[in-house]
Amino acid sequence: MGGGGGGGGENEMYGSMEQGNEVDYSAPLRHQEMSHSVASTSAVQQRTGSAGGPESEPSGVIDDYEVVYVKDNVSVHPTQNALGRISGRLRLIKQGSSLFMTWIPYSHGGISRQGSNVVIKGGLRNRMGSRAAERDRNLYTIRAVSLSEMRSIRRQTPPFGWQYIIIVLTSGLAFPPLYFHNGGVKEFLGTIRNHALLVRSAEDANVYLVNDIQDPLQRSLTSLELTEQPAPSAPTSSQEAPWPVVLKQETPVAAESDGKQEQSLRQIFKQEQRSESGRRRDQARDLSMNVLEKFSLVTKFARETTAQIFGESRMFLDGLDMDRGPVPRPPPGPSTPPDVEVLGIAKEARPLLENKHMKEESSSALNSADEEVVDDNLNADDDAEEQAATNVGTFELVDGTQDDTPALVWGRARPPPLGTEEWRSFLDSEGRVMDPKALRKRIFHGGIEPEVRHVVWKFLLGYFRFDSTYAEREYLIAKKKEEYEILKAQWQTVSPEQAKRFAKYRERKHRVEKDVVRTDRTLPYYAGEGDDNANITVLRDILVTYSFYNFDLGYCQGMSDLLSPILYVVDSESEAFWCFAALMEHLAPNFHRDQNGMHSQLLALSKLVQLLDRPLHDYFKQVDCLNYFFCFRWILIQFKREFDFENVLKLWEVLWTNYLSEHFHLYMCVALLKRHRRRIMDEQMEFDTLLKFINELSGHINLESTLRDAEALCLHAGERGAACIPPGTPPSIPEEEAGGWSD
Amino acid sequence: MSARKRTLLKVIILGDSGVGKTSLMNQYVNKKFTAQYKATIGADFLTKEVQVEDRLVTMQIWDTAGQERFQSLGVAFYRGADCCVLVYDVNVMKSFDNLENWRAEFLIQASPQDPENFPFVVLGNKVDVDGGNSRVVSEKKAKQWCTAHGNIPYFETSAKEDYNVDAAFQCIAKNALKNETEEEIYLPDTIDVTQNRPTKSSACEC
Ligand SMILES: Nc1nc2c(ncn2[C@@H]2O[C@H](COP(=O)(O)OP(=O)(O)OP(=O)(O)O)[C@@H](O)[C@H]2O)c(=O)[nH]1
Ligand SMILES: [Mg+2]
């Protein structure tokens, strides 16, 4: 394995910066000077509320409030897009004996301090559109959360990027990760330790339990159970119990920049069933849009974190963490199926995991039920939908606009595929694709109707340029056909006499011939025995021609699998050839003699799993499977052998949009591994059993939900994910060669 | 389903692409042949319980892709092999010529403790094709090669016609057992040993 060796980067905790002089946070409460705090504690005037953003708000003592910690450039990363980051100021505020935390985003762009001056960088976020940006800021604002509401703080030091913390509340809810762009996590924890008991979790050294007096496990479980009361009436089976949103009237912070009535939003982790007290509190909530906009957010981290604290062993909790909470629940009963409103994965994964043979029927049936639910809740509000698009997968979004029908959105049900009409709407009068990015986004989410697939694929693959006109394309087709015929003639004119002296030619032709007759013969398009099907002959001709066109690469097993769907869709020999050649520009390294392309993808996969599922990574390491060879087939031919033909087409067009990531297929791998992680680890699969298990998943994978999982993972991983993938890893190709791929 | 102590024999099938490795394995384990097997990508294996003399063993038969450029994966798959089966197509000279390379490659990548005496078995497959009229490698030539490489047992087979397949694998099991490693393994009892035909040990030239 090239470079860093299988898996690479095994160092446990990388951050020497903080661990170098480790503070013993597990020590009993000590009274210290506030030397850890970076806050200026000098008293400053109280703000009057209307002018300026919080960035102009000086830190300091306000009445009997005291700002004991302040850190600028602490950010939330709602998407992997750097432009979408929301920077803000994190503060710890002391009132009497209580400590509160707030995180208020800046009104405009980023902020940096130069000496004591505050410089606002405008324009950074302009591209996002100010309305969306504003909404994002509102959405993520943490007005004031009392330390007594915190259960734990997870500190994470990723190998690349910034340190971040995840605050988990006693209710089980977690705030999105707060990234410390200017450092300061240690001081943050130090300040808290000065005001509360902070105990490092015995299970996970990155987790600090807040105010944990007794046995941490015991106490946390107890506190959770308190919030879990039996529902007075069971929610209807297809509906999520509403998310209680409670306004806290007493507020420790002065009015914020928006000048609106200070509202502290306490978000309570959604319960399986709404408690009576929760219902009463619900009624007390302010129904103004201002409040309703503050959708409750729960991050998957919440469950990840709590799961790790409790050593949770429930099936999906630690999978994609789409379960809803760490509280052990009674087994699902028929009247109140507790998982109905959870994401597709949970519903599918359960029968999948329980059924050794993994019947697809059951999962797809459940899946469609799921999609109905999501649909119901989704189309209500375009804004919410747009919001969900940004947050998809990373956060569950709960819309409190209607009392009893909150929308739980985890990746949306995929919209219908792009049809003829809509496709035309993407073209200008001369046939240019006006907004390739929007088109790719559209296809990424919904795919393409079969009747336009043959056209659109040519763009996605780079055979057609997005900015070409109808006329240009017609010319291209004719020109390329000629070119193809010339290439094809190169080998077709080899006489038998010449062939005798041309071992390479004979060998290649033989290789191709024995593979095409073994390619997709169950499909009517290629059906038959031997070479008695004209389309099999076309496959052969294209592949032999390609091995002359790209003589250095030649023919390699797997290529016939990649060509077959293309020929089927494009249904023209020369155009299929050029589409295939364009695809091979990206995938040729998969077939290089030294297998460098495969090795770099397997290595990247290993890093992604390390990032997105550390326990699974550790497991693979333990059983010496970090080479990820068991995923070889998935990657070599883009899951061609794992789905039925129809679904291969659906998957490939998504992959080829290049929309969220050029390496979306690797997130597919992670999604699949995560889905089966429980079984893999419980059954202690090793190299051979793991390979067998993976091979036998073929034909039993639900495409839609895997796509959604992968999307969620990709968004969640963001730049940290991208950083796992070395430059040049297939299907990436250098910019200048990108051709039709660039906008 | 029981967890008993069994002997696990790991067998690797190697040979050029298209010589019939997957077909032979499926014929032996599943007793079926179809012309529609896909080219093998990556690797896979099947297991079968076999009785060798008075012992019950589980054979784990590994089938890998035949194209040589995938051989860098070999290390992972060859490790711990007890026997290596080299297959060629009696109708394709090149596949016979390549036996030398396959053997050498295996010894390098698997690096068995005692390479001199590591058990190989050679199969000349597809003897059924064209009633034998298209064959280009004679039995004599193949046997010579086997003798020259330390008396490797040799079988002529047809995965399609199920000719000599059982006998060949019986010999493979026997040879692998010489190289056995005792292991605690837990496998579902998917294959009933009573299905196995009586051993045709006479066919085994070892
Ligand atoms: N007539 C005949 N055809 C066979 C026999 N064995 C295999 N075949 C055919 O030969 C072709 C290749 O067989 P496979 O078993 O797939 O070959 P392989 O060695 O596994 O090939 P790779 O997976 O590419 O390495 C298939 O079309 C089989 O149907 C045989 O004994 N007789
Ligand atoms: Mg095969």
Side-chain angles (χ1 to χ4, degrees):
Chain A
M1 187 133 298
E10 313 305 348
N11 45 327
E12 284 303 308
M13 276 321 288
Y14 349 76
S16 54
M17 70 267 265
E18 288 225 352
Q19 301 229 327
N21 55 346
E22 184 61 74
V23 182
D24 178 15
Y25 294 119
S26 61
L29 179 62
R30 282 186 225 143
H31 293 283
Q32 282 190 356
E33 306 291 326
M34 280 188 279
S35 54
H36 277 297
S37 170
V38 294
S40 145
T41 50
S42 59
V44 203
Q45 83 281 14
Q46 181 170 351
R47 277 176 17 70
T48 47
S50 56
E55 56 272 14
S56 61
E57 178 196 331
S59 55
V61 176
I62 301 164
D63 292 345
D64 58 335
Y65 301 114
E66 190 186 357
V67 177
V68 293
Y69 171 92
V70 61
K71 195 76 201 170
D72 274 306
N73 285 318
V74 175
S75 308
V76 168
H77 299 180
T79 70
Q80 62 176 3
N81 186 345
L83 291 170
R85 279 181 203 147
I86 306 166
S87 290
R89 176 180 295 169
L90 184 71
R91 285 176 303 183
L92 289 170
I93 296 158
K94 195 181 169 198
Q95 178 199 19
S97 60
S98 306
L99 198 65
F100 296 89
M101 187 191 87
T102 68
W103 178 79
I104 312 293
Y106 307 128
S107 308
H108 312 282
I111 180 173
S112 65
R113 277 173 180 274
Q114 298 181 347
S116 59
N117 295 325
V118 170
V119 179
I120 300 165
K121 286 183 187 157
L124 251 179
R125 289 168 55 82
N126 284 353
R127 270 181 53 180
M128 271 196 69
S130 59
R131 201 167 132 257
E134 189 56 41
R135 193 179 48 215
D136 267 7
R137 282 196 294 276
N138 281 334
L139 193 61
Y140 293 102
T141 299
I142 302 171
R143 298 280 175 197
V145 55
S146 162
L147 220 65
S148 63
E149 289 174 81
M150 290 186 194
R151 185 198 308 138
S152 66
I153 302 169
R154 164 175 282 270
R155 177 179 71 168
Q156 211 58 54
T157 310
F160 311 97
W162 303 278
Q163 270 203 322
Y164 62 90
I165 57 164
I166 298 161
I167 309 251
V168 182
L169 302 181
T170 51
S171 55
L173 178 123
F175 291 111
L178 294 167
Y179 291 84
F180 286 64
H181 287 227
N182 291 352
V185 174
K186 187 172 149 192
E187 291 86 347
F188 175 80
L189 292 170
T191 308
I192 288 183
R193 199 187 44 156
N194 288 339
H195 296 86
L197 184 64
L198 206 59
V199 180
R200 187 171 253 190
S201 159
E203 259 101 59
D204 187 337
N206 294 317
V207 172
Y208 298 89
L209 303 165
V210 183
N211 287 320
D212 215 306
I213 297 136
Q214 311 154 25
D215 168 32
L217 178 68
Q218 200 54 50
R219 192 193 121 106
S220 307
L221 284 172
T222 311
S223 76
L224 278 167
E225 262 140 32
L226 284 176
T227 62
E228 167 122 314
Q229 291 164 13
S233 61
T236 56
S237 63
S238 64
Q239 277 174 359
E240 167 69 54
W243 183 303
V245 176
V246 182
L247 283 182
K248 218 167 77 178
Q249 296 307 333
E250 74 281 9
T251 164
V253 193
E256 287 300 339
S257 58
D258 56 9
K260 290 185 183 132
Q261 166 73 47
E262 177 62 28
Q263 287 147 340
S264 169
L265 197 62
R266 196 166 129 230
Q267 296 151 321
I268 295 175
F269 190 50
K270 79 183 124 74
Q271 300 300 315
E272 189 142 8
Q273 286 136 359
R274 179 160 57 157
S275 70
E276 190 56 44
S277 60
R279 203 184 282 278
R280 261 183 267 114
R281 276 180 279 147
D282 282 350
Q283 285 154 5
R285 70 188 167 181
D286 184 344
L287 290 175
S288 76
M289 269 318 289
N290 178 39
V291 175
L292 293 173
E293 259 178 28
K294 296 172 178 59
F295 298 106
S296 300
L297 293 172
V298 78
T299 74
K300 56 206 289 303
F301 296 105
R303 283 165 254 138
E304 217 161 69
T305 311
T306 47
Q308 286 177 13
I309 292 169
F310 302 133
E312 177 58 60
S313 63
R314 296 245 322 285
M315 273 176 179
F316 328 107
L317 188 61
D318 39 9
L320 260 170
D321 302 304
M322 291 181 212
D323 216 308
R324 286 162 310 134
V327 184
R329 293 176 293 183
S335 57
T336 57
D339 283 329
V340 163
E341 70 283 13
V342 200
L343 294 176
I345 184 168
K347 276 167 290 159
E348 309 172 357
R350 188 156 284 170
L352 279 177
L353 288 161
E354 281 168 2
N355 184 349
K356 257 198 138 169
H357 302 288
M358 290 169 292
K359 290 271 170 0
E360 185 72 24
E361 306 85 66
S362 56
S363 65
S364 56
L366 283 159
N367 194 42
S368 58
D370 164 47
E371 278 159 17
E372 274 167 36
V373 176
V374 176
D375 274 345
D376 274 358
N377 294 323
L378 257 179
N379 302 325
D381 181 320
D382 282 345
D383 275 3
E385 197 161 355
E386 185 52 40
Q387 185 72 55
T390 356
N391 291 335
V392 61
T394 310
F395 305 111
E396 289 164 356
L397 184 60
V398 176
D399 180 351
T401 45
Q402 281 167 302
D403 211 338
D404 285 306
T405 57
L408 169 61
V409 180
W410 172 281
R412 297 171 293 172
R414 301 185 77 217
L418 176 84
T420 311
E421 283 301 300
E422 195 185 351
W423 161 242
R424 286 213 194 95
S425 75
F426 275 96
L427 304 175
D428 69 13
S429 59
E430 296 187 308
R432 295 181 196 89
V433 176
M434 294 177 287
D435 188 348
K437 173 111 199 228
L439 176 67
R440 298 201 324 238
K441 180 179 177 184
R442 174 69 182 85
I443 295 166
F444 178 82
H445 286 116
I448 308 169
E449 285 284 6
E451 79 257 15
V452 274
R453 192 172 261 150
H454 67 102
V455 186
V456 184
W457 271 28
K458 294 172 195 170
F459 289 89
L460 291 178
L461 284 165
Y463 169 52
F464 287 165
R465 292 184 60 97
F466 284 113
D467 59 3
S468 61
T469 61
Y470 292 122
E472 285 165 352
R473 294 199 285 271
E474 231 164 86
Y475 173 73
L476 180 86
I477 291 168
K479 198 184 84 178
K480 286 289 181 184
K481 185 167 191 323
E482 247 172 64
E483 228 176 283
Y484 173 73
E485 295 301 339
I486 291 166
L487 288 167
K488 188 176 168 185
Q490 287 178 5
W491 62 272
Q492 287 209 318
T493 52
V494 171
S495 67
E497 273 306 299
Q498 189 188 358
K500 269 190 206 159
R501 301 169 176 83
F502 198 170
K504 269 247 155 69
Y505 163 71
R506 292 196 312 269
E507 222 174 274
R508 276 179 189 194
K509 193 149 168 280
H510 171 71
R511 244 179 216 170
V512 170
E513 277 167 353
K514 90 191 148 23
D515 275 7
V516 292
V517 298
R518 294 187 286 173
T519 306
D520 292 322
R521 299 312 294 267
T522 51
L523 204 73
Y525 191 82
Y526 295 116
E529 286 265 324
D531 56 1
D532 64 356
N533 178 318
N535 291 325
I536 292 290
T537 311
V538 177
L539 277 183
R540 184 204 61 185
D541 290 354
I542 293 176
L543 288 168
V544 177
T545 305
Y546 183 78
S547 89
F548 272 70
Y549 173 70
N550 191 343
F551 199 84
D552 293 341
L553 184 64
Y555 172 78
C556 187
Q557 286 190 302
M559 288 184 183
S560 72
D561 277 284
L562 292 174
L563 173 61
S564 145
I566 293 176
L567 177 62
Y568 169 82
V569 167
V570 170
D571 202 28
S572 142
E573 182 171 340
S574 101
E575 290 194 277
F577 172 86
W578 291 110
C579 285
F580 174 73
L583 178 65
M584 289 308 296
E585 290 300 304
H586 297 266
L587 296 182
N590 284 7
F591 302 103
H592 282 167
R593 212 159 288 277
D594 62 3
Q595 291 284 289
N596 58 0
M598 286 306 296
H599 285 303
S600 63
Q601 285 169 95
L602 293 170
L603 182 65
L605 173 58
S606 148
K607 298 217 150 155
L608 281 177
V609 173
Q610 188 175 10
L611 174 75
L612 294 163
D613 194 339
R614 188 58 191 252
L616 187 62
H617 168 86
D618 292 344
Y619 176 78
F620 285 149
K621 187 179 173 188
Q622 180 200 321
V623 294
D624 202 12
C625 284
L626 283 181
N627 58 30
Y628 283 82
F629 281 175
F630 50 90
C631 296
F632 186 87
R633 188 173 77 194
W634 288 0
I635 292 174
L636 186 85
I637 48 174
Q638 307 224 295
F639 294 94
K640 165 67 162 50
R641 298 275 182 96
E642 318 311 318
F643 296 98
D644 63 31
F645 203 76
E646 209 28 60
N647 276 323
V648 167
L649 309 183
K650 288 184 185 168
L651 170 64
W652 283 8
E653 59 206 15
V654 168
L655 296 181
W656 297 341
T657 61
N658 230 4
Y659 175 63
L660 276 186
S661 163
E662 277 188 303
H663 302 97
F664 194 71
H665 67 302
L666 296 179
Y667 292 94
M668 286 280 293
C669 296
V670 181
L672 281 168
L673 293 174
K674 270 179 98 57
R675 174 165 300 198
H676 298 288
R677 68 196 298 283
R678 239 322 114 224
R679 232 186 117 182
I680 290 169
M681 294 194 280
D682 283 354
E683 295 181 14
Q684 308 204 337
M685 294 182 191
E686 297 193 7
F687 187 77
D688 51 355
T689 39
L690 186 55
L691 179 92
K692 188 106 194 124
F693 175 71
I694 297 287
N695 282 348
E696 288 181 355
L697 285 180
S698 171
H700 301 285
I701 303 171
N702 182 301
L703 178 64
E704 301 270 316
S705 56
T706 310
L707 281 173
R708 284 186 298 192
D709 296 355
E711 180 181 359
L713 287 165
C714 186
L715 285 170
H716 165 52
E719 286 174 4
R720 293 172 300 141
C724 294
I725 305 167
T729 299
S732 300
I733 49 172
E735 274 297 303
E736 64 270 23
E737 294 173 41
W741 286 74
S742 57
D743 291 349
Chain B
M1 173 108 25
S2 65
R4 323 172 230 153
K5 190 163 188 189
R6 293 203 192 113
T7 301
L8 179 72
L9 298 178
K10 183 171 178 180
V11 173
I12 315 284
I13 310 182
L14 299 179
D16 278 10
S17 170
V19 296
K21 300 180 293 296
T22 304
S23 301
L24 282 163
M25 180 177 79
N26 274 288
Q27 181 58 267
Y28 176 59
V29 176
N30 298 324
K31 290 274 160 269
K32 62 176 195 208
F33 174 86
T34 149
Q36 316 223 313
Y37 290 124
K38 295 169 180 222
T40 305
I41 302 281
D44 203 353
F45 66 85
L46 292 176
T47 53
K48 174 155 173 141
E49 285 196 18
V50 216
Q51 194 166 345
V52 183
E53 283 144 17
D54 57 343
R55 296 187 60 176
L56 188 64
V57 297
T58 302
M59 238 201 296
Q60 190 185 58
I61 305 164
W62 284 77
D63 175 30
T64 57
Q67 192 155 5
E68 72 280 358
R69 72 183 76 171
F70 293 125
Q71 289 313 306
S72 71
L73 293 172
V75 208
F77 300 122
Y78 301 170
R79 201 166 39 190
D82 297 299
C83 180
C84 177
V85 183
L86 301 174
V87 185
Y88 75 97
D89 178 346
V90 297
N91 309 289
V92 179
M93 183 56 77
K94 179 86 183 170
S95 71
F96 177 74
D97 293 341
N98 273 340
L99 289 183
E100 193 73 57
N101 298 332
W102 284 110
R103 182 177 169 276
E105 187 70 19
F106 175 83
L107 289 175
I108 291 165
Q109 296 216 33
S111 48
Q113 288 185 346
D114 185 5
E116 295 295 299
N117 296 307
F118 187 86
F120 286 93
V121 172
V122 171
L123 310 185
N125 191 38
K126 303 200 193 180
V127 291
D128 64 283
V129 173
D130 211 3
N133 291 323
S134 61
R135 111 174 250 169
V136 291
V137 184
S138 69
E139 187 171 358
K140 188 168 164 234
K141 186 171 176 181
K143 282 188 167 168
Q144 271 172 5
W145 187 89
C146 290
T147 310
H149 289 82
N151 285 320
I152 298 177
Y154 174 72
F155 291 85
E156 305 233 312
T157 58
S158 164
K160 187 178 180 188
E161 306 294 337
D162 194 13
Y163 170 74
N164 230 4
V165 177
D166 264 10
F169 276 94
Q170 196 62 45
C171 174
I172 290 160
K174 196 171 158 189
N175 277 271
L177 200 55
K178 290 183 195 157
N179 205 58
E180 64 166 306
T181 47
E182 285 279 330
E183 274 184 72
E184 193 90 17
I185 57 150
Y186 302 89
L187 290 168
D189 292 332
T190 45
I191 289 144
D192 185 356
V193 275
T194 56
Q195 283 176 354
N196 291 341
R197 296 175 193 174
T199 55
K200 284 198 263 170
S201 52
S202 57
C204 188
E205 305 172 3
C206 42

